[in-house]
Amino acid sequence: MTTVTADLKKVTKKVPVRGMMDNVMEQFNSAADHINLHPNIRKILSITNNEILVNFPVKMDNGDVEIFTGYRVQHNNALGPYKGGLRYHPTVDIDAARALAMWMTWKTSLAGLPYGGGKGGIKIDPSKYSQSELERITRRFTFALADNIGPEHDIPAPDVNTNSQTMAWIADTYMSTRPPAERTANQHVVTGKPDASGGLEGRDRATGYGVYLSIKFWANKTNTSLEGKKFIVQGFGNVGYWAAHFLEKDGAKMVAVQDASGSIQNQNGINVEDLFKYSQINDGSIVNFPDSKMVDNKKFFTLDCDICIPAALGNQITKENAPKIKAKLIAEGANGPTNVEGEKILLERGITIIPDILCNSGGVVGSYFEWLQNRNGEIWQLDEVMAKLDKKMKESFNKVFDYALNETVDLRTAAFCIAIQRIEKAYIQRGIFP
Ligand SMILES: NC(=O)C1=CN([C@@H]2O[C@H](COP(=O)(O)OP(=O)(O)OC[C@H]3O[C@@H](n4cnc5c(N)ncnc54)[C@H](O)[C@@H]3O)[C@@H](O)[C@H]2O)C=CC1
Ligand SMILES: O=C(O)CCC(=O)C(=O)O
């Protein structure tokens, strides 16, 4: 295990600025300029506190041993324990983990939660492994990370290709590393667990519901009706499916979907529940759904629609496709789906973007409720969870919308400014910077 603790000069020089880091740093710096952020605080927030890299061996079903590389980046904990998901994907590397951890810091701050930001995962294509191999990989990863996570220190959650089952394995393995009398009291080391293992009713749909609410709040502010509005979704996993589910229930029409296996379209509408059921019996894939035609992946974002929901990976909307996008609204379910160049083009074209740190914050808000539930030994009801989530999302949306209007900035800059100012206040109150 290698733990790199922040040394300002060294780390500032070392951090390569490229890919997702490039985007998050440009977003941060432009907001920091807008609020004239104290230079010392800018330095602190420009780097990560800790970067943990673990290489660990796992025995495969055929008896061979394979070595995996896992990451956990802890960006900032000025407001509370590090919080953020674990991703299992071939694109996971230190650059992605750093950027995603930074986005978590701004997201938790904007949502008014008592958390900082962290993120991590394993560089792996999980489709190549059996369920029992994935369980062993997850347990070994947890064991390797165990001294660096904890319910009051760093609390992982699901992200791409991880789910409530993954969280149950992590919680179980982590608890087994604690002294017997402390084991069950450590259940909230992760959130997004299954219901019988301390999970929160509604955490499964929390992110997608938050995406839907953000779209609804935008529609209310702009006197737009969602009835009959056409939307497209990239990613039909946890976030994409639930966002589509709630939008369809409110009268909107899903006309195209893309997942890792391909893209489908039907301008008359694709039934969300039918597609979900189909994907469940089709290895999780949407391709060849009977009531649709296949479309070229490259054309996906340029298809005719009113609302576009990227809910898969980062860097999907770029200068290549931004000029041809037809949607009037981009609701970012994914983290970092629009890069800085793509965003500039969209804003010039008058297209609104509800930024990731606001739009997909329902997930981490749901995680916070689960953490509170476990800490207090409670079991919350679904209607209570959804009502609290609604209230939290509305408060954040209104804050960002009003700030953008008052300061004449776009919604992302507004969201970043609010988030950074809350952290700045914490540092100033502690008297670090007279
Ligand atoms: N799960 C959560 O609570 C939260 C997730 N997010 C973000 O939302 C996004 C999606 O996460 P989940 O829905 O949890 O993951 P998931 O693993 O449940 O679903 C991911 C979906 O994206 C698709 N996908 C993967 N690679 C793709 C590609 N190259 N092109 C098109 N589609 C592709 C997959 O086929 C799948 O349908 C990620 O960016 C994640 O960081 C953000 C906040 C919370
Ligand atoms: O639920 C959480 O703690 C974090 C989820 C996440 O990774 C995200 O919001 O990007």
Side-chain angles (χ1 to χ4, degrees):
M1 187 198 76
T2 316
T3 303
V4 186
T5 304
D7 170 313
L8 200 55
K9 277 186 192 149
K10 265 200 246 160
V11 178
T12 309
K13 270 189 188 162
K14 266 192 198 165
V15 173
V17 180
R18 62 183 170 81
M20 292 220 272
M21 269 302 282
D22 209 359
N23 285 322
V24 71
M25 287 306 296
E26 280 196 46
Q27 293 167 350
F28 167 69
N29 280 320
S30 99
D33 289 346
H34 187 79
I35 60 172
N36 202 14
L37 181 67
H38 192 294
N40 286 338
I41 301 177
R42 189 191 289 240
K43 280 185 209 162
I44 292 174
L45 293 178
S46 296
I47 56 157
T48 58
N49 284 358
N50 302 302
E51 300 185 346
I52 300 137
L53 183 154
V54 289
N55 293 314
F56 53 98
V58 182
K59 196 183 266 186
M60 298 292 102
D61 290 345
N62 67 3
D64 285 351
V65 164
E66 220 175 287
I67 306 293
F68 295 88
T69 302
Y71 303 87
R72 185 71 183 173
V73 172
Q74 299 167 335
H75 171 237
N76 186 273
N77 62 351
L79 298 176
Y82 304 104
K83 186 86 188 85
L86 289 175
R87 177 176 291 198
Y88 289 2
H89 198 270
T91 58
V92 170
D93 60 12
I94 195 65
D95 181 72
R98 280 178 185 144
L100 290 160
M102 283 194 175
W103 274 312
M104 283 311 305
T105 301
W106 321 134
K107 196 185 300 187
T108 54
S109 175
L110 176 65
L113 303 179
Y115 290 141
K119 200 89 169 201
I122 307 177
K123 191 176 192 62
I124 182 177
D125 176 353
S127 68
K128 301 212 164 97
Y129 297 90
S130 71
Q131 185 76 347
S132 61
E133 286 173 333
L134 287 172
E135 174 173 354
R136 290 198 293 282
I137 292 164
T138 301
R139 288 187 184 277
R140 288 303 297 233
F141 181 40
T142 308
F143 195 73
L145 278 186
D147 287 343
N148 295 284
I149 58 173
E152 307 296 330
H153 175 54
D154 184 352
I155 309 138
D159 193 82
V160 175
N161 291 331
T162 57
N163 54 29
S164 59
Q165 176 61 79
T166 326
M167 297 306 118
W169 291 329
I170 296 176
D172 187 57
T173 310
Y174 179 82
M175 288 192 289
S176 74
T177 67
R178 302 296 108 184
E182 291 172 23
R183 280 183 191 156
T184 51
N186 277 280
Q187 202 176 35
H188 53 307
V189 61
V190 282
T191 55
K193 299 179 291 290
D195 55 358
S197 305
L200 180 85
E201 277 244 52
R203 174 59 186 87
D204 56 353
R205 67 209 67 186
T207 312
Y209 185 58
V211 171
Y212 155 71
L213 287 176
S214 302
I215 295 169
K216 192 177 86 164
F217 298 149
W218 165 83
N220 292 345
K221 293 271 187 201
T222 55
N223 287 324
T224 308
S225 163
L226 290 182
E227 186 65 41
K229 285 284 173 303
K230 292 181 187 176
F231 66 95
I232 63 173
V233 190
Q234 186 198 41
F236 203 62
N238 176 276
V239 180
Y241 161 68
W242 281 108
H245 166 92
F246 288 109
L247 272 171
E248 187 181 69
K249 268 176 82 171
D250 212 355
K253 189 161 71 171
M254 183 165 80
V255 293
V257 186
Q258 182 184 78
D259 73 1
S261 57
S263 307
I264 59 170
Q265 181 190 21
N266 181 347
Q267 282 295 327
N268 296 320
I270 297 169
N271 184 282
V272 175
E273 299 314 316
D274 288 349
L275 182 63
F276 181 70
K277 281 185 209 137
Y278 173 83
S279 71
Q280 296 297 92
I281 54 165
N282 194 34
D283 266 345
S285 154
I286 59 162
V287 293
N288 298 323
F289 178 61
D291 198 16
S292 69
K293 62 175 187 190
M294 297 295 296
V295 201
D296 180 355
N297 274 341
K298 289 208 185 82
K299 297 209 173 111
F300 178 76
F301 282 111
T302 67
L303 294 174
D304 183 35
C305 65
D306 303 295
I307 302 165
C308 166
I309 307 171
L313 302 175
N315 275 334
Q316 300 299 299
I317 300 178
T318 62
K319 65 176 186 208
E320 270 73 46
N321 53 19
K324 295 176 235 149
I325 283 179
K326 308 226 174 29
K328 302 281 170 299
L329 177 72
I330 312 284
E332 294 186 332
N335 287 303
T338 313
N339 75 11
V340 170
E341 291 166 324
E343 171 149 31
K344 196 164 172 286
I345 296 167
L346 294 177
L347 293 178
E348 277 165 9
R349 294 184 56 217
I351 295 169
T352 301
I353 305 167
I354 308 179
D356 44 13
I357 64 165
L358 170 64
C359 194
N360 70 33
S361 63
V364 75
V365 171
S367 281
Y368 171 56
F369 295 159
E370 181 173 325
W371 186 73
L372 286 180
Q373 174 187 263
N374 295 160
R375 254 181 149 203
N376 299 334
E378 295 173 357
I379 296 181
W380 294 18
Q381 303 301 312
L382 183 61
D383 53 354
E384 187 188 353
V385 171
M386 300 310 265
K388 280 181 195 278
L389 189 56
D390 206 312
K391 184 165 177 284
K392 270 278 194 201
M393 289 298 301
K394 187 177 258 167
E395 281 166 7
S396 296
F397 188 91
N398 285 342
K399 262 195 290 185
V400 172
F401 200 87
D402 293 348
Y403 189 103
L405 274 185
N406 292 337
E407 299 277 323
T408 332
V409 290
D410 59 89
L411 294 177
R412 190 181 320 274
T413 306
F416 267 66
C417 289
I418 297 167
I420 297 165
Q421 276 172 331
R422 184 169 165 233
I423 302 168
E424 180 183 34
K425 195 171 165 192
Y427 279 115
I428 290 170
Q429 284 176 349
R430 287 170 203 182
I432 302 173
F433 306 106

